[in-house]
Amino acid sequence: MWKDAPLDGVMHEFLATVTGEELWNYVEFLHLRTADAVSGFEDDSIDLIHVDGNHTKEIALSDVSNYWPKVRPGGYMIADDTNWESLRPALEWLDGCGAILVGDYKEWRIYRKPIL
């Protein structure tokens, strides 16, 4: 599916939206693989992250478990495509680590990190 996706157009639309809505003071855009980008963030430093990476069981679980420590207490993680069976282990991991499910929209979910 992805080999035919117009990814350059998606990127252009994203950049145009951030520019048009004057969001550059609020957005940090990294064009990196998820595994390569995670080391650039301190623990408890992310207010909101939208995870929509590779949908294999192993990579989805790795993305969620590597980025969850980076979310600050009270911060949010949006998990995309949560209706995919391959994401089940990642969602179970979030449930098991105390993530608070604040919204389930069938194809995506919002989790909040508890404030300790």
Side-chain angles (χ1 to χ4, degrees):
M1 161 178 115
W2 287 108
K3 68 182 173 101
D4 297 323
L7 297 180
D8 288 339
V10 171
M11 173 86 70
H12 177 74
E13 184 177 340
F14 167 75
L15 296 172
T17 299
V18 172
T19 299
E21 298 295 327
E22 300 179 3
L23 296 173
W24 284 115
N25 289 334
Y26 308 100
V27 173
E28 182 170 351
F29 173 68
L30 303 173
H31 192 189
L32 300 169
R33 293 183 178 274
T34 305
D36 296 333
V38 72
S39 64
F41 294 93
E42 298 291 325
D43 286 355
D44 300 330
S45 67
I46 297 174
D47 294 315
L48 170 68
I49 186 166
H50 180 177
V51 179
D52 186 15
N54 185 299
H55 290 25
T56 64
K57 289 179 183 180
E58 298 79 16
I59 294 176
L61 177 58
S62 175
D63 287 350
V64 167
S65 62
N66 283 324
Y67 274 94
W68 186 248
K70 308 304 181 183
V71 176
R72 69 168 177 78
Y76 295 88
M77 176 178 279
I78 299 172
D80 208 349
D81 299 322
T82 54
N83 56 328
W84 288 47
E85 185 59 34
S86 60
L87 270 66
R88 184 76 34 224
L91 301 176
E92 290 172 354
W93 187 89
L94 283 166
D95 291 337
C97 76
I100 300 165
L101 179 63
V102 296
D104 185 345
Y105 303 94
K106 306 237 187 294
E107 294 181 5
W108 56 284
R109 295 180 182 179
I110 302 173
Y111 292 90
R112 185 171 56 83
K113 192 171 191 178
I115 299 173
L116 303 176

